[in-house]
């Protein structure tokens, strides 16, 4: 039995963690306690299994994992910034203004309020990034209005919950920040990869509402004329937007050669600022330049769009990192709250307290996950998970199906933070081993985790809406009619179609990975075999323009720069090996020539006549190694026969060589 436990400690450890979580213990403490408990068990069982690599000194690695891997992680700084920004915007009144204005814009259409809720939910997701803030704000503002004008309770509840959960996948999302950190990838790449799937998912929500209005018109009626307080004026809005586009195009053409990058985006900024200034002047001086509807839409929509550009635009342009973008977004949220006269000490206190609680919650879970992973990796749990998942039939497709089913089922019980810190680090090595792009894999998991907020009966978004929806009958403050409450069953059944849409989006992301992979630059389409490398030539045969080692004083085709020759001491004027005055050739380095073959005839200085018993001298002056004057061992008196030049002087090896 003990041997069985030792060889299967990894799956037992994982199963124990799931049991602790189901019993209701806090996630951070469950992770840490489970990790420490099995660490001690693993150390005691290590002699019984070669798969356990745990010993007590390994606990000394925990401080480094805490401070080096968590506390000094700059990426995690984006979490408090974006949380603070979302909480400030939630209390600044921006959501109320957006819902009222966009509801008036889409009011004449069937399902107009539902379209407005989805549109505003996407805007809030791109500015707040917090699901709770979006769902609560939309539930408080839009649910009474939708019920007032006869919307089906299930449809109204589902629309609000679904629009709030867009904060999960629309950048700047806290989920994407955590996933990028756990997968070891760039947050900017994760944002760029998630942008198109987020827009497609929003479009699918709108398509579902359109289908409901076509087949069940009574479930989402249009606003009655008396409720359209801003009147008409869509034509004026279209003209204003067209003028903004024209101004933006002209500005981008002008800036094309004056800015290093992003001329089109800066041109769009100029166009938006121009139309916003026109709307503000029209409101301040009642100039009648545009209709009330166009004026109100422009004044209400431009500030949150500007905030989105301040955060996401600077990140995508490479001007700011995600952490810096979050800091600028927090400052922008404070400016918007100040412009609406909502900024006060109470607002700041509440926002900072909530931000500190959420940030501490995330960090404690991450610290607990570090303790758990230290033990889990020590018992080779990651290898067990990787082998288990890579052995799934079907290869990459089978792996993706199993992983997404697993995430979908675990999302019934676990929050997305728990999934990201516990499950994702176990899945990432197997995905990378199969050659799956981790940015695409992270976005896919993010879309799937979005369902964790809408799963009946444990979806947090359902709980948020339940907390603000009417539980007892009430009197509508506008019409005075008695309104029935919204039941929990209606909220649950309203969320089911949108959960199915999210699962459909998971399938579309698997079928069309280019929706995410567009974050990468396109690879060059040139055939590598056709690539030619041309080395620039600077003249001459060697192509580098070096001064010659030969005659002509450095002139010639190999010396385009006119450099002097590389002459050494002892060379004649005119270059190395230039002809001397007597017609002989002297060496360019002041040394006698080297004769590597048979000795040459006596006409060449520095050689001796060849004899049968004489070894080649290589053209060097003879070395007097034994006191002789000839250089040949055993001949102490005379020069070689036939040598009319006399014996060369003896070489004193005790002195340094001279080139004189």
């Amino acid at each position: 039995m003990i041997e069985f436990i030792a060889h299967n400690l990894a799956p037992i450890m994982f199963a124990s963690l799931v049991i602790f979580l189901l019993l209701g213990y806090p996630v951070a403490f469950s992770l840490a306690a489970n990790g420490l408990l099995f660490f001690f068990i693993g150390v005691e069982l290590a002699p019984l299994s070669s798969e356990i690599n745990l010993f007590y000194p390994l606990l000394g690695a925990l401080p480094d994992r805490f401070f080096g891997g968590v506390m000094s992680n700059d990426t995690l700084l984006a979490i408090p910034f974006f949380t603070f920004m979302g909480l400030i915007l939630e209390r600044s009144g921006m959501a109320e203004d957006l819902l009222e204005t966009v509801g008036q814009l889409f009011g004449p259409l069937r399902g107009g309020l539902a379209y407005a809720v989805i549109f505003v939910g996407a805007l809030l997701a791109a500015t707040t990034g917090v699901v709770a803030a979006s769902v609560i704000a939309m539930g408080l503002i839009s649910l009474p209005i939708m019920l007032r004008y006869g919307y089906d309770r299930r449809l109204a509840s589902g629309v609000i919950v679904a629009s709030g959960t867009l904060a999960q996948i629309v950048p700047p999302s806290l989920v994407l920040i955590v996933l990028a950190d756990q997968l070891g990838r760039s947050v900017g790449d994760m944002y760029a990869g998630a942008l198109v799937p987020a827009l497609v998912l929003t479009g699918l929500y709108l398509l579902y509402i359109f289908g409901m209005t076509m087949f069940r018109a009574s479930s989402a009626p249009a606003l009655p004329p008396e409720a359209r307080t801003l009147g008409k004026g869509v034509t004026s809005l279209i003209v204003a937007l067209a003028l903004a586009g024209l101004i933006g195009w002209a500005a981008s053409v002008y800036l094309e050669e004056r800015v290093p990058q992003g001329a089109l985006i800066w041109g769009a900024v100029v166009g938006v600022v121009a139309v916003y200034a026109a709307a503000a002047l029209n409101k301040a001086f009642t100039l009648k330049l545009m209709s009330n509807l166009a004026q109100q839409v422009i004044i209400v929509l431009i500030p949150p769009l500007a905030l989105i550009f301040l955060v996401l635009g600077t990140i995508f342009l490479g001007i700011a990192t995600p952490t810096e973008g979050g800091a600028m977004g927090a400052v922008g949220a404070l400016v918007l709250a100040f412009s609406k006269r909502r900024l006060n000490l109470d607002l700041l206190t509440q926002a900072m307290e909530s931000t500190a609680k959420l940030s501490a919650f995330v960090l404690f879970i991450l610290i607990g996950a570090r303790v758990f992973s230290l033990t889990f990796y020590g018992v080779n749990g990651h290898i067990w998970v990787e082998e288990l998942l890579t052995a799934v039939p079907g290869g990459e497709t089978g792996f993706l199906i199993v992983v997404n089913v697993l995430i979908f089922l675990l999302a019934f019980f676990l929050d997305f933070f728990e999934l990201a810190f516990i499950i994702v680090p176990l899945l990432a090595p197997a995905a990378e081993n199969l050659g799956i792009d981790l940015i695409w894999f992270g976005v896919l998991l993010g879309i799937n985790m979005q369902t964790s907020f809408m799963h009946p009966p444990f979806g947090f978004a359902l709980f948020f809406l339940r907390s603000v929806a009417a539980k007892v009958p009430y009197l509508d403050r506008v019409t005075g009619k008695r309104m029935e409450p919204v039941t929990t069953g209606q909220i649950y059944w309203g969320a089911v179609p949108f959960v199915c849409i999210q699962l459909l989006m998971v399938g579309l992301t698997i079928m069309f990975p280019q929706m995410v992979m567009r974050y990468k630059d396109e690879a060059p389409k040139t055939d590598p075999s056709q690539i030619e490398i041309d080395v620039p030539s600077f003249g001459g045969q060697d192509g580098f323009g070096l001064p010659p080692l030969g005659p002509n004083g450095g002139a010639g085709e190999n010396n385009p720069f006119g450099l002097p020759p590389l002459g050494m001491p002892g060379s004649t004027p005119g270059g190395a090996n230039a002809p001397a005055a007597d017609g002989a050739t002297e060496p360019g380095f002041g040394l006698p020539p080297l004769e590597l073959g048979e000795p040459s005839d006596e006409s060449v200085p520095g050689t001796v006549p060849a004899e049968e018993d004489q070894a080649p001298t290589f053209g060097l002056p003879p070395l007097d190694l034994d006191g002789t004057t000839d250089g040949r061992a055993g001949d102490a008196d005379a020069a070689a026969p036939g040598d009319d030049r006399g014996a060369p002087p003896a070489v004193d090896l005790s002195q340094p060589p001279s080139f004189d």
Side-chain angles (χ1 to χ4, degrees):
M1 182 64 181
I2 299 297
E3 288 80 4
F4 175 81
I5 294 176
H7 287 288
N8 296 277
L9 197 59
I12 294 174
M13 181 180 178
F14 187 78
S16 300
L17 176 64
V18 174
I19 293 174
F20 288 156
L21 294 177
L22 292 178
L23 290 176
Y25 289 101
V27 178
F29 301 122
S30 296
L31 284 167
N34 195 64
L36 289 176
L37 174 63
F38 278 89
F39 183 90
F40 297 130
I41 295 175
V43 171
E44 298 300 327
L45 297 181
L48 302 178
S49 175
S50 61
E51 300 173 358
I52 300 177
N53 303 308
L54 295 177
F55 46 93
Y56 286 115
L58 193 60
L59 289 174
L62 285 178
D64 182 66
R65 292 172 70 85
F66 294 160
F67 291 98
V70 179
M71 306 307 294
S72 62
N73 191 341
D74 294 338
T75 303
L76 297 178
L77 277 176
I79 293 177
F81 284 140
F82 285 121
T83 304
F84 181 79
M85 179 182 72
L87 294 172
I88 291 292
L89 290 177
E90 176 198 353
R91 295 167 172 82
S92 67
M94 184 184 72
E96 292 92 331
D97 295 341
L98 282 171
L99 276 171
E100 181 181 357
T101 304
V102 179
Q104 292 285 327
L105 178 63
F106 291 107
L109 300 175
R110 284 186 298 183
L113 285 177
Y115 292 136
V117 168
I118 296 295
F119 183 74
V120 173
L123 283 179
L124 290 178
T127 52
T128 64
V130 181
V131 174
S134 298
V135 173
I136 291 175
M138 307 287 277
L140 287 172
I141 301 165
S142 62
L143 184 59
I145 301 175
M146 299 172 78
L147 298 181
R148 180 184 306 153
Y149 295 110
Y151 271 70
D152 181 80
R153 280 171 165 73
R154 289 180 296 182
L155 177 62
S157 301
V159 165
I160 292 173
V161 171
S163 65
T165 56
L166 284 174
Q168 283 279 97
I169 194 63
V170 175
S173 166
L174 298 183
V175 177
L176 297 178
I177 296 174
V178 173
L179 285 174
D181 176 69
Q182 294 300 301
L183 293 172
R185 293 298 183 266
S186 164
V187 178
D189 288 344
M190 192 70 76
Y191 281 175
L195 187 59
V196 172
L199 295 176
V200 173
L201 182 60
T202 305
L204 291 177
Y205 288 167
L206 296 175
L207 186 62
Y208 171 72
I209 297 171
F210 176 76
M212 289 293 293
T213 58
M214 292 297 294
F215 296 103
R216 291 184 57 193
S218 61
S219 64
L223 280 179
E226 61 271 16
R228 304 172 198 167
T229 57
L230 293 179
K232 300 179 180 180
V234 177
T235 303
S236 177
L237 177 62
I238 294 174
V239 171
L241 295 178
L243 287 176
L246 183 61
I247 294 172
W249 175 79
S252 65
V253 172
Y254 175 78
L255 295 172
E256 185 69 35
E257 299 179 355
R258 292 172 173 81
V259 294
Q261 65 174 352
L264 186 61
I265 295 178
W266 290 116
V269 171
V270 172
V272 170
V273 170
V275 73
Y276 183 79
L281 291 174
N282 184 75
K283 181 179 180 180
F285 299 102
T286 61
L287 300 177
K288 304 296 183 184
L289 296 176
M290 59 184 68
S291 65
N292 289 335
L293 178 63
Q295 170 188 294
Q296 186 69 10
V297 168
I298 292 173
I299 291 177
V300 170
L301 282 182
I302 294 302
L305 291 175
L307 186 61
I308 293 172
F309 170 76
L310 184 66
V311 176
L312 296 181
T314 53
I315 294 174
F316 291 155
L317 286 175
I319 300 174
T321 64
T323 302
E324 295 165 347
M328 291 192 296
V331 174
L334 291 174
V335 171
L336 285 181
F338 179 78
S339 66
K340 293 180 177 294
R341 301 179 182 179
R342 300 285 185 94
L343 187 62
N344 51 51
L345 185 59
D346 291 338
L347 173 62
L348 289 175
T349 303
Q350 294 173 10
M352 287 189 290
E353 286 180 354
S354 300
T355 301
K357 289 179 181 178
L358 180 61
S359 301
F361 168 73
V362 172
L363 288 178
F364 267 97
I365 291 181
L366 188 53
I367 289 174
R370 293 285 178 170
V371 179
F372 178 83
S373 64
L374 176 69
T375 304
F376 197 70
Y377 279 59
V379 298
N380 285 332
H382 59 296
I383 298 178
W384 169 72
V385 174
E386 182 177 346
E387 291 177 350
L388 180 67
L389 293 176
T390 53
V392 172
E396 180 180 329
T397 304
F399 168 79
L400 292 174
I401 293 174
V402 170
V403 165
N404 281 281
V405 171
L406 175 67
I407 292 293
F408 179 77
L409 295 178
L410 290 177
F412 277 93
F413 313 103
L414 302 179
D415 180 57
F416 76 91
F417 277 127
E418 300 159 6
L419 291 172
F421 289 137
I422 300 173
I423 305 300
V424 172
L426 303 179
L427 301 178
E432 193 168 19
N433 188 37
L434 289 172
I436 297 174
D437 184 88
L438 291 186
I439 293 292
W440 176 70
F441 187 63
V443 173
L444 184 65
L445 293 183
I447 298 172
N448 200 336
M449 287 181 191
Q450 191 177 353
T451 61
S452 69
F453 277 91
M454 298 176 62
H455 277 155
F458 303 114
F460 283 94
L462 307 179
F463 296 156
F464 297 147
L465 182 59
R466 176 69 278 174
S467 67
V468 298
K471 302 178 181 65
V472 295
Y474 66 96
L475 295 178
D476 185 71
R477 62 183 180 86
V478 175
T479 63
K481 295 180 180 179
R482 185 178 187 272
M483 306 297 295
E484 294 297 325
V486 178
T487 66
T488 303
Q490 290 171 340
I491 295 176
Y492 286 173
W493 282 110
V496 170
F498 292 95
V499 172
C500 296
I501 292 175
Q502 290 172 347
L503 295 178
L504 173 63
M505 189 65 218
V506 172
L508 291 176
T509 307
I510 295 176
M511 293 172 60
F512 304 101
Q514 285 305 315
M515 287 192 296
V516 177
M517 302 300 288
R518 58 177 294 280
Y519 83 93
K520 289 186 174 181
D521 295 331
E522 290 189 4
K525 299 180 180 180
T526 307
D527 185 0
S529 63
Q530 303 298 323
I531 297 177
E532 296 182 359
I533 300 177
D534 295 328
V535 178
S537 176
F538 297 99
Q541 294 179 353
D542 59 7
F544 294 99
L546 296 176
L549 296 175
N552 300 328
E557 62 176 357
N558 194 34
N559 190 14
F561 300 112
L563 297 175
L566 296 178
M568 299 294 290
S571 61
T572 61
N577 294 332
D582 57 357
T585 300
E586 294 186 5
F589 297 103
L591 295 175
L594 296 177
E595 294 290 335
L596 300 179
E598 291 294 331
S600 58
D601 57 42
E602 358 178 308
S603 63
V604 180
T607 63
V608 294
E611 295 182 0
E612 293 182 1
D613 59 346
Q614 180 180 354
T617 64
F618 300 104
L620 293 175
L623 299 179
D624 186 11
L625 301 178
D626 56 356
T628 66
T629 60
D630 181 290
R632 290 178 294 177
D635 192 351
D637 298 322
D643 189 353
D644 56 356
R645 297 176 299 152
V651 178
D652 187 2
L653 296 179
S654 65
Q655 299 299 323
S658 174
F659 294 98
D660 295 334

